[in-house]
């Protein structure tokens, strides 16, 4: 399968970012990573997804939390890095 990149609005809250990425996964992709990059005249979140085989979906929903928040019960760390959240550089962790 191939990978592709999509932008997630840097003005969104962490909850809305989680929904945006979960929505992309519901369409048959799997989150890989986030990179801050200059795109269309601004710094933004560029999210890489892996396209899954038809009918496949990630096993459980992804959850994004601020770096200092406690890990959700039963979830494992998937990714950690910096994203723009509410327009501010924020250390974030993703769990699945």
């Amino acid at each position: 399968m191939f990978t592709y990149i999509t932008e997630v609005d840097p003005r969104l809250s962490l909850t809305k970012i989680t929904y945006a990425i979960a929505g992309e996964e519901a369409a048959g992709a799997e989150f890989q990573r986030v990179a801050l990059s200059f795109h269309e005249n601004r710094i933004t979140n560029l999210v890489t997804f892996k396209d899954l085989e038809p009918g496949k979906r990630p096993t459980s929903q992804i959850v994004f939390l601020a770096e200092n928040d406690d890990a959700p019960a039963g979830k494992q760390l998937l990714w950690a890095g910096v994203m723009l959240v509410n327009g501010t550089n924020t250390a974030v962790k993703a769990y699945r």
Side-chain angles (χ1 to χ4, degrees):
M1 306 276 60
F2 66 92
T3 61
Y4 64 93
I5 297 171
T6 190
E7 179 182 10
V8 172
D9 191 333
R11 297 168 295 180
L12 294 177
S13 68
L14 202 49
T15 299
K16 289 183 179 178
I17 287 171
T18 297
Y19 292 150
I21 291 173
E24 194 72 25
E25 288 193 331
E30 184 176 55
F31 170 84
Q32 300 294 297
R33 65 188 162 278
V34 178
L36 293 180
S37 186
F38 189 76
H39 176 68
E40 295 185 1
N41 298 316
R42 66 180 179 158
I43 302 295
T44 192
N45 299 308
L46 294 182
V47 183
T48 301
F49 290 92
K50 179 173 72 174
D51 187 46
L52 299 176
E53 295 177 26
K56 298 282 184 178
R57 300 290 181 274
T59 55
S60 62
Q61 187 168 347
I62 196 164
V63 176
F64 288 84
L65 298 173
E67 180 182 44
N68 294 329
D69 290 347
D70 293 334
K75 302 266 186 186
Q76 294 195 7
L77 181 64
L78 176 64
W79 174 85
V82 176
M83 297 178 72
L84 287 170
V85 179
N86 293 320
T88 302
N89 283 347
T90 305
V92 174
K93 291 183 178 178
Y95 297 88
R96 184 179 313 278

